[in-house]
Amino acid sequence: MLLKYREMKEAVFNSYKSLYDKFHYTPKDVVFATIGEYDFYKNFSQIDEIIIFINFALIFFENQNNFNFIREKLIELVKEEHLEYYKKELKEEFGEFICDVTKVKEILQ
């Protein structure tokens, strides 16, 4: 895991504000530019990936942006079978994380 949950959440928000609001990237380009920024790090993991996708989904939903292009990826990442891994990795930050995951699951239904 590259950053703590709250730090990554803030980094995702800052990417959105910068790339979408300031430079007028499409939501799809914002997500993949952000993933690309972190993906080259050796320690980039599934936990980093889900944090990015979950938080973009929440931001896009709040700002009424279409995020169907990440829908299938979100469905895969939030499966129950992954929760134990996320809990192990996030430790004390799991509570905040699972609240955000629950919100996204509700949005996806």
Side-chain angles (χ1 to χ4, degrees):
M1 194 165 127
L2 297 172
L3 300 170
K4 294 210 171 274
Y5 183 72
R6 180 139 317 227
E7 293 170 332
M8 184 64 88
K9 187 174 185 169
E10 187 176 318
V12 167
F13 179 77
N14 290 339
S15 287
Y16 176 81
K17 295 305 278 178
S18 175
L19 297 174
Y20 183 80
D21 288 348
K22 187 174 178 183
F23 294 110
H24 310 292
Y25 279 39
T26 66
K28 185 175 185 177
D29 289 339
V30 171
V31 170
F32 294 110
T34 303
I35 290 288
E37 181 180 338
Y38 291 102
D39 193 29
F40 72 91
Y41 287 101
K42 189 173 87 172
N43 295 351
F44 186 78
S45 67
Q46 183 179 348
I47 195 71
D48 297 303
E49 183 178 44
I50 190 173
I51 292 169
I52 291 169
F53 277 93
I54 288 292
N55 283 287
F56 271 126
L58 293 172
I59 291 167
F60 292 152
F61 181 75
E62 183 179 310
N63 289 286
Q64 299 177 339
N65 298 118
N66 183 326
F67 61 96
N68 282 334
F69 64 95
I70 60 172
R71 183 179 190 75
E72 292 304 314
K73 184 67 170 179
L74 284 166
I75 290 169
E76 174 60 34
L77 290 170
V78 300
K79 286 183 176 175
E80 295 295 318
E81 64 197 54
H82 301 301
L83 290 183
E84 200 56 43
Y85 168 72
Y86 300 148
K87 189 174 188 175
K88 184 181 126 219
E89 292 295 312
L90 288 165
K91 297 175 178 79
E92 69 277 352
E93 296 177 300
F94 184 75
E96 181 178 359
F97 168 79
I98 199 65
C99 285
D100 289 342
V101 167
T102 301
K103 289 176 195 172
V104 169
K105 283 182 169 182
E106 290 171 2
I107 292 167
L108 291 173
Q109 292 183 2

